[in-house]
Amino acid sequence: NSIYVMTDLLLGNTAYDETDRVLILSADSVDLIEAVAEVAADVHVYDGSYWALERLRNYMRADNVHFFDDVYPTEHDYYDTALILVPKGRDLGRAQLWSAMQALKVGGELYIVGPNKSGAKPLIKDADALFGNSNVLDYKRRHRLAVSLKQHDAQLPNDWDYDPTQTQTIRVNTAL
């Protein structure tokens, strides 16, 4: 199962301090959330699925884990570490990258993990464009884990035409 592989990659290659604030942009891995919560001061979980968040609210008992109904975090320069499990779709992936970039403190680390066939390579390339750096740390069963370090304030890359966290309206004129 892909979730288990991603969780193993993250837990095997990351370390957290007892004062760390960690942002997780997926409610898919209960094991990951629980393991991070055992060490970190605060764990904030965001996900596009209200059902997934509600399920975890009823399951998790750790006082330092908080679930948010917003799709993206509203805090800026707040988190020490952010974790992204590669979502379906490059637009959503870019939106998560952008929101993580804004939410991380300068010096904070972003970890991206996912299957190669589900868009890990393009998302890591996007992280490199956004953060100015991205290094693949590990591979396992056709999955990869990469890390990017926030070295500067959030700034959209020139080839990104719009803020990916904002809804875009497309008007199509068709002849009837």
Side-chain angles (χ1 to χ4, degrees):
N1 187 333
S2 189
I3 290 296
Y4 297 122
V5 175
M6 290 188 285
T7 300
D8 287 347
L9 278 168
L10 279 166
L11 294 179
N13 290 281
T14 58
Y16 308 97
D17 190 60
E18 60 189 21
T19 60
D20 282 353
R21 294 177 179 150
V22 179
L23 167 65
I24 302 177
L25 289 167
S26 173
D28 289 341
S29 178
V30 174
D31 293 338
L32 174 65
I33 296 166
E34 286 179 333
V36 173
E38 287 179 10
V39 182
D42 279 311
V43 179
H44 291 189
V45 180
Y46 289 81
D47 195 291
S49 169
Y50 176 79
W51 178 84
L53 292 170
E54 203 52 32
R55 177 179 55 91
L56 286 176
R57 278 187 184 103
N58 294 321
Y59 173 79
M60 298 289 293
R61 298 290 178 240
D63 291 335
N64 62 335
V65 178
H66 310 280
F67 300 98
F68 295 88
D69 293 332
D70 299 321
V71 178
Y72 308 111
T74 55
E75 296 89 353
H76 289 263
D77 302 318
Y78 182 79
Y79 298 100
D80 301 291
T81 304
L83 310 176
I84 293 178
L85 281 62
V86 174
K88 292 183 181 179
R90 192 166 190 183
D91 288 339
L92 178 56
R94 279 186 169 183
Q96 288 184 343
L97 285 175
W98 178 239
S99 65
M101 170 60 128
Q102 293 178 81
L104 281 168
K105 297 176 183 177
V106 172
E109 296 175 319
L110 167 68
Y111 292 91
I112 302 166
V113 64
N116 295 330
K117 288 186 176 181
S118 293
K121 290 179 185 179
L123 195 60
I124 292 168
K125 185 178 177 183
D126 288 341
D128 189 55
L130 183 59
F131 284 77
N133 63 83
S134 192
N135 299 305
V136 175
L137 298 176
D138 201 357
Y139 302 91
K140 184 177 183 179
R141 294 189 197 159
R142 297 187 183 117
H143 289 66
R144 62 184 58 216
L145 170 69
V147 63
S148 296
L149 181 68
K150 181 176 178 178
Q151 300 173 332
H152 53 79
D153 289 333
Q155 189 174 344
L156 281 174
N158 292 334
D159 61 338
W160 291 19
D161 297 332
Y162 58 91
D163 178 345
T165 62
Q166 299 302 310
T167 303
Q168 301 297 309
T169 303
I170 299 172
R171 172 175 261 172
V172 179
N173 292 323
T174 59
L176 296 175

